[in-house]
């Protein structure tokens, strides 16, 4: 008689725990018995919490009572850095180990920032600039922490989808807040505060440009809102187009696309349009013709709807590019090049110190590449650009390695997301804004996680992992179970019944004689 049981490794005392279900037999795997019930928290849970906190908490909201400004998202990033460090010292936290190009790029970036921080603090710095350098290195640890936590802590495609879906939904919520600010002039962020927090400034989240409102939602500035929405738009499109293949309704994701696009339009930002343009170039290059057609039709329909709903909005966007020669913001971005050249020449390799060039003490460089050259030198600029280029390479590498259309499309999507800050850094000082900086490091880590998940099945298919000890072809799990793992279900069932009988039988009573097992050949 076949008795289905739950296989469990022998304990130290040598006893075997067996469960004899009363229902129909069902196949049970050993791996499914480790943690029955709900899934425990892991690196993906931490990354999803970071995404929600980053997007929905106002960028001006910081902890009260600290000597420097620390946002809730920064606190989650610091915790992620601590979690990642502890995970490298143990095998129980579920973090991946081993080489990964994104992980290496983050290490190099951290080393470059520490080098410029050490160089600056070794010499004399005014107290205010030294405080800013200390603050900046803490923020670097938080950003790199969430990048490493996402790269090594998000294990598998399912968990990565969970994180990215949370990011898209949070982006749609930001679009709703932006719509309230633009249409009703109602700033919801004033009420998104809690005990123990404070706002760093009273700057309004609703500004004006060419008689139209331009809003920031929960971010620090309308430019940042536009760039953030441009970064999340490819992810929303990925889940909207792929919903039918996954067997789920697509309307919810198209609504998210519309809300995120609305937030982008209400930012009235030239940087947002540039970001969306480069996203379109990357996606169109990899999309099939049918998807390109649907995307073009959807984009035209969205623009028509915006023109009808907000008259004059499209004209303002067109004016941002047709009047570049007379635009005061363009002239302001170029008037400080001589000052930047002097500072770069004084500290060419490692810069004058991370975070030491700040307003209002110094001129504002609305160009992150120039600001990085001034603060961190050529080495820091190379490291800063390298993390984005490595993330893009990792995402495109996934597209080359995988044969799954959904995974290939996700790789293309992540590459499109990371092109936005790479281009946007030339139009504003990106690292001075917490939301877009945290989002960039999260997506860079996601690209590394996807590459690791894609490489593992290929490595197992090409070369089976080497095993120390045991018979050839014997898995580590069956070695750990010993002979118990090699027994058939019938043998395990008989041993289970025998074990139960020993427990319930009075002491001193002899075992009944066992009849020999019939030969299957008969």
């Amino acid at each position: 008689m076949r008795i289905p049981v739950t296989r469990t490794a022998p304990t130290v005392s040598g006893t075997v725990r067996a469960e004899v279900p009363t229902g129909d037999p069902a196949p049970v795997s050993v791996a499914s018995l480790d943690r029955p019930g709900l899934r425990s928290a892991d690196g993906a849970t931490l990354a999803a919490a970071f995404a929600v906190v980053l997007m929905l908490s106002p960028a001006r909201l910081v902890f009260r009572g600290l000597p420097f400004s620390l946002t809730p998202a920064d606190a989650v990033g610091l915790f992620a850095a601590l979690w990642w460090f502890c995970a490298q010292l143990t095998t129980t936290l579920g973090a991946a180990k081993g080489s990964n190009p994104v992980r290496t790029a983050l290490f190099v970036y951290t080393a470059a920032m520490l080098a410029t921080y050490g160089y600056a603090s070794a010499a004399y710095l005014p107290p205010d600039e030294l405080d800013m350098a200390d603050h900046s290195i803490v923020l670097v640890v938080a950003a790199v922490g969430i990048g490493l936590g996402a790269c090594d802590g998000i294990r598998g495609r399912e968990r990565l989808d969970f994180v990215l879906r949370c990011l898209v939904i949070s982006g749609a919520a930001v679009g709703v807040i932006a719509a309230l600010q633009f249409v009703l002039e109602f700033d919801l962020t004033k009420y998104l505060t809690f005990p123990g927090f404070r706002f760093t400034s009273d700057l309004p989240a609703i500004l004006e440009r060419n008689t139209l409102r331009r809003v920031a939602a929960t971010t620090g500035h309308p430019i940042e809102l536009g760039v953030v929405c441009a970064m999340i738009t490819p992810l929303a499109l990925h889940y909207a187009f792929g919903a039918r293949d996954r067997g789920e309704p697509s309307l919810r994701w198209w609504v998210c696309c519309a809300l995120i696009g609305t937030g982008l339009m209400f930012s009235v930002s030239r940087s947002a349009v540039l970001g969306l343009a480069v996203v379109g170039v990357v996606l169109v290059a990899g999309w099939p013709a049918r998807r390109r057609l649907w995307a073009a039709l959807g984009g035209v329909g969205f623009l028509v709807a915006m023109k009808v709903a907000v008259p004059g909005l499209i004209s303002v966007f067109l004016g941002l590019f047709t009047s570049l020669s007379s635009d005061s913001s363009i002239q302001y971005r170029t008037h400080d090049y001589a000052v930047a050249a002097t500072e770069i020449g004084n500290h060419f390799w490692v810069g004058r110190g991370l975070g030491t060039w700040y307003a209002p003490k110094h001129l504002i460089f609305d160009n992150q590449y120039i600001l990085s050259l001034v603060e961190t030198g050529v080495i820091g600029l190379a490291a800063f650009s390298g993390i984005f280029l490595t993330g893009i390479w990792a995402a495109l590498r996934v597209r080359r390695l995988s044969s799954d259309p959904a995974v290939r499309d996700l790789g293309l999507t992540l590459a499109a997301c990371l092109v936005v800050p790479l281009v946007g850094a030339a139009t504003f000082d990106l690292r001075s804004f917490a939301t877009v900086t945290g989002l960039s490091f999260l997506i860079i880590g996601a690209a590394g996680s996807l590459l690791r998940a894609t490489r593992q099945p290929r490595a197992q298919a090409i070369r089976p992992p080497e095993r120390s000890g045991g018979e050839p072809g014997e898995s580590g799990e069956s070695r750990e179970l010993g002979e118990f793992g090699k027994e058939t279900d019938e043998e395990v069932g008989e041993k289970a019944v025998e074990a139960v009988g020993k427990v319930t039988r009075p002491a001193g009573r002899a075992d009944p004689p066992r009849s020999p097992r019939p030969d299957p050949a008969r």
Side-chain angles (χ1 to χ4, degrees), residues 1-20:
M1 179 179 64
R2 182 185 179 97
I3 302 178
V5 297
T6 302
R7 296 187 177 187
T8 308
T11 61
V12 177
S13 60
T15 62
V16 177
R17 178 175 62 86
E19 297 177 6
V20 184

Side-chain angles (χ1 to χ4, degrees), residues 207-420:
L207 306 177
E208 187 173 317
R209 188 173 208 169
N210 295 343
T211 70
L212 278 179
R213 300 188 189 103
R214 57 184 314 211
V215 300
T218 58
T219 64
H221 193 274
I223 294 178
E224 184 182 19
L225 172 64
V227 174
V228 166
C229 290
M231 291 178 67
I232 302 177
T233 297
L235 292 172
L237 291 174
H238 167 76
Y239 289 112
F241 279 118
R244 179 174 298 181
D245 296 334
R246 298 188 303 271
E248 63 183 31
S250 61
L251 179 60
R252 66 187 72 170
W253 299 112
W254 287 116
V255 171
C256 289
C257 291
L259 292 175
I260 295 170
T262 299
L264 185 148
M265 297 296 292
F266 290 163
S267 69
V268 195
S269 169
R270 187 185 295 108
S271 300
V273 177
L274 291 175
L276 196 61
V278 296
V279 163
V281 171
V282 175
L283 293 181
V284 167
W287 275 353
R290 182 180 180 86
R291 183 175 292 190
R292 296 176 190 173
L293 177 61
W294 281 111
L297 294 176
V300 172
F302 178 77
L303 292 178
V304 171
M306 294 301 299
K307 184 175 180 60
V308 173
V310 188
L313 181 60
I314 305 299
S315 301
V316 170
F317 272 100
L318 292 176
L320 294 178
F321 293 92
T322 57
S323 59
L324 292 177
S325 58
S326 58
D327 194 326
S328 59
S329 62
I330 298 295
Q331 297 173 1
Y332 181 81
R333 282 178 168 87
T334 58
H335 83 285
D336 48 14
Y337 284 177
V339 177
T342 302
E343 290 294 330
I344 294 170
N346 293 336
H347 313 278
F348 184 74
W349 290 108
V350 292
R352 71 190 310 273
L354 180 65
T356 59
W357 189 274
Y358 67 97
K361 183 177 182 178
H362 303 286
L363 291 174
I364 298 177
F365 298 132
D366 278 329
N367 186 316
Q368 183 58 51
Y369 296 115
I370 294 178
L371 182 59
S372 293
L373 277 173
V374 171
E375 289 189 338
T376 61
V378 174
I379 296 177
L381 175 62
F384 173 78
S385 304
I387 56 175
F388 289 98
L389 294 176
T390 305
I392 295 172
W393 179 87
L396 295 178
R397 181 65 176 168
V398 167
R399 183 173 175 83
R400 179 179 178 85
L401 293 177
S402 178
S403 58
D404 186 345
V407 176
R408 288 169 53 84
D409 186 67
L410 182 57
L412 180 70
T413 299
L414 293 177
C417 293
L418 291 176
V419 171
V420 177

Side-chain angles (χ1 to χ4, degrees), residues 500-516:
V500 173
K502 287 182 178 180
V503 173
T504 58
R505 190 166 50 247
R509 185 173 176 178
D511 295 339
R514 291 179 51 189
S515 58

Side-chain angles (χ1 to χ4, degrees), residues 173-213:
V174 171
V176 173
I177 297 174
L180 291 175
Q181 293 174 343
F182 186 89
V183 178
L184 303 178
E185 203 171 357
F186 172 68
D187 186 9
L188 183 62
T189 61
K190 293 181 179 179
Y191 306 95
L192 297 179
T193 184
F194 307 96
F197 293 89
R198 63 178 178 86
F199 287 111
T200 56
S201 65
D202 296 328
L203 294 177
I206 305 174
L207 306 177
E208 187 173 317
R209 188 173 208 169
N210 295 343
T211 70
L212 278 179
R213 300 188 189 103

